[in-house]
Amino acid sequence: MSIGTVFGERFGPILQSTGMLLSKRVLNILSVSFYSVIILGTLALAYFNPVYNWDILAYVGIAVEDRLETAEEIHATAYGEVQEATSELQFYKLTAAIPYRVGQYENPEHFVSLFPMFRVKLAYVETIKHLGEVTGRVHATTLISTISAALIGVFVIAWSFRRNFVQGLLIIGPVSILIGYVFSAREATPDLMMAVFTLPAIYFVCREKPFFAAPFLILAFLVRPDGILLFFALLLAAFAVSKYRLAYLALFIACVCLYFPVTGAAEHPGWWPHFYFSNIEYQDDMRGFDPAFDAVLFVKALLINLARTLQAFDWLMLLAVFLLGFALFVRNGFEVSRGQWMAAIALTLCIGGKFVTFPLPDDRVYLPYMLPLLLVLMEIWKPEFSVARSETERVS
C-alpha cells in the first residue's frame, strides 16, 4: 500500500470536510457577512457616536445665513444649535481648544468671513439646508454621513457580485477602514458623500461607458469642486488609452464651465488664499485676505504635510501598495481591460494631483478616490480563498 493511499484513507475525509467548509459558496457567504458586519458597525458608530469637528459650525451657519440678517444672528444660531447637540466637552473643544477657535467663538464677523471656503461645497451644503428643515441641521450632517456609508457598502457588495470578486470583500473591509471609511462616516464632512458618486462613476469608466459615468462625476464635483481634478485626470487617461477621448474632453469642458459659476456664487477667495489658510496659517478674518503667491511657502507646506502623512496617516502607503499590486498583476499576465487601465491611471493621477495642489494629510480626503481604486484592483485580481473540490478528491 502506497504512502499516498494511506494518507488518503486517514486524512481524505478530513480534507473533504474542509473543502466543503471552504467551498466557494460558503466563503462567498462568509465574505459578505464579514463585510456587512463592518458596514453595520460603521453605521452604528456614525449615527450614535458622531464626531463633531469645527467644520460643522460653518456648515450649520451657511445653512441658516439666507434667513438671518446679521453675522451676530448667524453666529448665535450656529453655535447654539451645535451646543444643543454636543456634550460639554465636545463643545469646549470646538470653541476653546486652541486660540483660533476662541477667536471665532468671540467674533461673529470673523466667523462669517470663513463661509466662502465651505459654501463652495454646493451639494453638501444644500443637502444640510433642506434635510435640516425636517431633522435639524446638526442631525442632518449625521444622517448624510450615515446614509452615505450605507450606500457605499451596498454598492461595494453589488460591484463585487457583478464583477465576480465577492471573496475580495475579506480584503476590502479592513483596507477600507485604513483609508478612512469608518472615521469619515462619523464626521460632518462631505468626503463620504462624494464617494457615493465617485464609486459608480469609476464603475462605468471601467465599463467604458463615459456617458453613464457623466452624471455621477458631475454630482461628485458639486459635492466638492476640487473634483475637477478627476475630470482632468480622466481626460489625460483617455488620451493615453481610451477611444472615448472626445467624450471625456466634453465632460472636462462641461466641468470647467460649472466650476467658475459655482465658486463665483460661493464667493470663494481662490486657490492660493484657501491653500494658505488650510496649509500654512489660519486666518482669523478672511475678508480681503489675498497674499501673493510664495513658492517657498508652497514647497514648505508640501514637505511638512508629506511628513505628517507618512507619520500619522495610511493613504499614501496604501497607494504605494495598490500600485505595486497593479504592476504585479500586469507583470503576471492578469487580464486588464482598457477601461480598468484608464480608471487606474486616472485615479492615481487624481490622488497625486490632489495632494500637490492642496496637501491635506487626512485619509478621508482621498477616500473618494482610494476606495474605487481598491475595487478596480479587486476586479482585476478576483481573489479566491476557497479550497477547490478537486484538490480534496485527489487524496481520497
Side-chain angles (χ1 to χ4, degrees), residues 106-147:
E106 293 176 348
N107 194 313
E109 295 290 343
H110 289 178
F111 174 64
V112 172
S113 75
L114 305 182
F115 283 8
M117 295 184 292
F118 298 89
R119 196 188 292 128
V120 74
K121 296 159 188 176
L122 180 63
Y124 184 67
V125 169
E126 289 298 314
T127 304
I128 294 172
K129 185 182 297 184
H130 291 94
L131 184 60
E133 295 293 334
V134 179
T135 65
R137 283 164 282 273
V138 175
H139 190 57
T141 65
T142 299
L143 286 176
I144 292 168
S145 295
T146 304
I147 293 170

Side-chain angles (χ1 to χ4, degrees), residues 19-82:
M20 292 177 64
L21 288 173
L22 299 180
S23 66
K24 181 175 181 178
R25 180 173 177 272
V26 171
L27 270 176
N28 282 356
I29 294 171
L30 289 175
S31 299
V32 174
S33 300
F34 173 72
Y35 186 67
S36 297
V37 168
I38 292 176
I39 298 301
L40 293 173
T42 300
L43 298 184
L45 282 172
Y47 189 82
F48 295 108
N49 190 26
V51 174
Y52 297 108
N53 59 8
W54 189 91
D55 293 4
I56 194 172
L57 292 162
Y59 289 126
V60 172
I62 293 166
V64 301
E65 66 177 340
D66 60 350
R67 66 184 60 192
L68 301 174
E69 295 183 358
T70 66
E72 288 75 14
E73 290 176 317
I74 296 170
H75 181 275
T77 301
Y79 276 89
E81 291 189 9
V82 172

Side-chain angles (χ1 to χ4, degrees), residues 45-294:
L45 282 172
Y47 189 82
F48 295 108
N49 190 26
V51 174
Y52 297 108
N53 59 8
W54 189 91
D55 293 4
I56 194 172
L57 292 162
Y59 289 126
V60 172
I62 293 166
V64 301
E65 66 177 340
D66 60 350
R67 66 184 60 192
L68 301 174
E69 295 183 358
T70 66
E72 288 75 14
E73 290 176 317
I74 296 170
H75 181 275
T77 301
Y79 276 89
E81 291 189 9
V82 172
Q83 185 173 18
E84 288 180 7
T86 57
S87 68
E88 185 176 340
L89 177 60
Q90 287 173 324
F91 191 69
Y92 172 82
K93 290 179 179 179
L94 295 177
T95 58
I98 58 176
Y100 170 77
R101 294 182 180 179
V102 174
Q104 296 301 315
Y105 185 42
E106 293 176 348
N107 194 313
E109 295 290 343
H110 289 178
F111 174 64
V112 172
S113 75
L114 305 182
F115 283 8
M117 295 184 292
F118 298 89
R119 196 188 292 128
V120 74
K121 296 159 188 176
L122 180 63
Y124 184 67
V125 169
E126 289 298 314
T127 304
I128 294 172
K129 185 182 297 184
H130 291 94
L131 184 60
E133 295 293 334
V134 179
T135 65
R137 283 164 282 273
V138 175
H139 190 57
T141 65
T142 299
L143 286 176
I144 292 168
S145 295
T146 304
I147 293 170
S148 296
L151 291 174
I152 287 169
V154 170
F155 189 83
V156 168
I157 293 172
W159 190 340
S160 72
F161 272 96
R162 185 74 175 172
R163 305 307 301 177
N164 194 29
F165 60 90
V166 177
Q167 292 177 35
L169 294 172
L170 294 171
I171 299 170
I172 293 168
V175 175
S176 64
I177 295 173
L178 290 176
I179 58 179
Y181 171 72
V182 175
F183 192 73
S184 296
R186 298 177 64 199
E187 279 201 310
T189 61
D191 305 289
L192 213 59
M193 183 178 179
M194 186 183 191
V196 169
F197 302 117
T198 56
L199 277 168
I202 296 303
Y203 176 85
F204 287 118
V205 168
C206 289
R207 309 284 78 75
E208 294 191 275
K209 295 180 177 180
F211 295 108
F212 284 84
F216 297 105
L217 289 169
I218 294 294
L219 287 168
F221 164 79
L222 291 175
V223 174
R224 287 189 65 115
D226 56 4
I228 193 173
L229 290 169
L230 180 57
F231 283 78
F232 185 54
L234 286 167
L235 176 62
L236 294 178
F239 274 102
V241 299
S242 178
K243 61 183 179 181
Y244 294 103
R245 298 178 182 88
L246 290 179
Y248 286 104
L249 176 60
L251 278 173
F252 178 67
I253 293 172
C255 185
V256 171
C257 291
L258 280 174
Y259 182 83
F260 292 103
V262 168
T263 55
E267 300 177 340
H268 189 261
W271 166 72
W272 179 245
H274 196 164
F275 182 103
Y276 195 106
F277 173 90
S278 297
N279 297 287
I280 298 172
E281 185 179 19
Y282 285 144
Q283 302 299 307
D284 290 326
D285 189 353
M286 285 296 290
R287 290 173 296 181
F289 180 68
D290 189 18
F293 176 74
D294 188 321

